[in-house]
Amino acid sequence: MTIDELVPGQILRNDEIVSIFQCAPQGGMRRSKRTNSLVLISDHTKALYEDRWEGDVFHYTGMGRVGDQKLDFQQNKTLAESTTNGVDLYLFEVFRENEYVFMGQVELADQPYQDQQLDIENNLRLVWIFPLKLKENTQPIEIPQEWIESKNRYREKRAKKLSDEELKARAKHTNKKAIKRSTSTTAYERNPYVSEYAKRWANGICQLCDQPAPFNDKDGTPYLETHHIEWLSRGGDDTIENTIALCPNCHRKMHILDRKADVEKLKKRVRERLSSLA
């Protein structure tokens, strides 16, 4: 198979990417001088970077796992200069291990900009974000709902392994807007740190009915579900200020009845939580 034969939505293994692009087998940004290409891989099974689609623009985080990232560092420089250096860019996303989904050939949609994220050592640092769009103004492909669910489960599992301090840091320093993806139905990608933080703070007690969780999950953890007080579909943020843990019954109640008094109670609970953290 050649590069020109790749079709958006096609799933490749890592060794196939190496063979097609003649690039290195590791890393998120893989430069190949043999094919004059830069392969960009956004691996959602790893929890460090916060790459995301906003409409038809993909916000891709640059290289550098510790400390502030540098725009002139290795492939960050290649990507930043891609409008003039002639290097072709190809984007892959990973939702499940060793399944690289080809999204298409991309180009810079705007100038790179800086943002704050945590590094691998949980220190807040500056990163470079590269806004990318598919070439020829095509739209991102629709992806199966199960890929989003797989990604959410994987990231939630990783979040459960974090200490309280690590979880608090990642829940606070994260993108506020939920990621909206084009699937067969509209899907929102939950922030795993915010979700786990709300559950851990609730300590097994529903924050609406004040009763213990109705059962424990397979890991022995009291089963609660996270709820966005202002719904994501109404523009609510995916943050600790807008997220609470409820039993399944109260969660369903909130989405069916949406009573003002219940909403106010949940907002009060969040204020109590935030004041206890101050």
Side-chain angles (χ1 to χ4, degrees), residues 244-258:
I244 202 82
L246 305 176
C247 68
N249 187 55
C250 285
H251 194 190
R252 181 58 56 189
K253 173 185 176 183
M254 289 303 303
H255 280 279
I256 293 176
L257 299 181
D258 195 22

Side-chain angles (χ1 to χ4, degrees), residues 20-83:
I20 293 170
F21 290 94
Q22 297 295 296
C23 64
Q26 296 178 329
M29 302 172 74
R30 306 180 184 182
R31 175 77 166 97
S32 172
K33 293 186 177 180
R34 292 184 181 180
T35 58
N36 195 36
S37 62
L38 179 63
V39 177
L40 305 172
I41 297 175
S42 180
D43 191 341
H44 302 301
T45 68
K46 298 178 181 177
L48 181 59
Y49 298 133
E50 298 181 17
D51 303 336
R52 66 195 185 277
W53 286 98
E54 291 184 5
D56 60 356
V57 175
F58 190 66
H59 296 257
Y60 183 82
T61 308
M63 291 181 67
R65 295 166 61 86
V66 178
D68 292 344
Q69 293 182 348
K70 306 297 182 183
L71 192 60
D72 59 358
F73 176 68
Q74 295 186 10
Q75 306 315 324
N76 288 345
K77 181 178 181 180
T78 303
L79 182 51
E81 297 176 351
S82 59
T83 56

Side-chain angles (χ1 to χ4, degrees), residues 123-134:
N123 296 315
L124 193 62
R125 47 80 175 263
L126 289 172
V127 298
W128 281 98
I129 305 295
F130 298 88
L132 305 173
K133 64 179 179 180
L134 295 169

Side-chain angles (χ1 to χ4, degrees), residues 17 26 43 49 55-57 66 74 83 95 100 108 144 155 162 168 209-210 212 216 226 251 261-262 272:
I17 291 177
Q26 296 178 329
D43 191 341
Y49 298 133
D56 60 356
V57 175
V66 178
Q74 295 186 10
T83 56
F95 300 91
Y100 296 78
L108 285 175
R155 290 171 66 84
L162 298 177
K168 178 181 176 181
C209 69
D210 299 306
N216 292 346
T226 48
H251 194 190
D262 291 336
E272 292 171 353

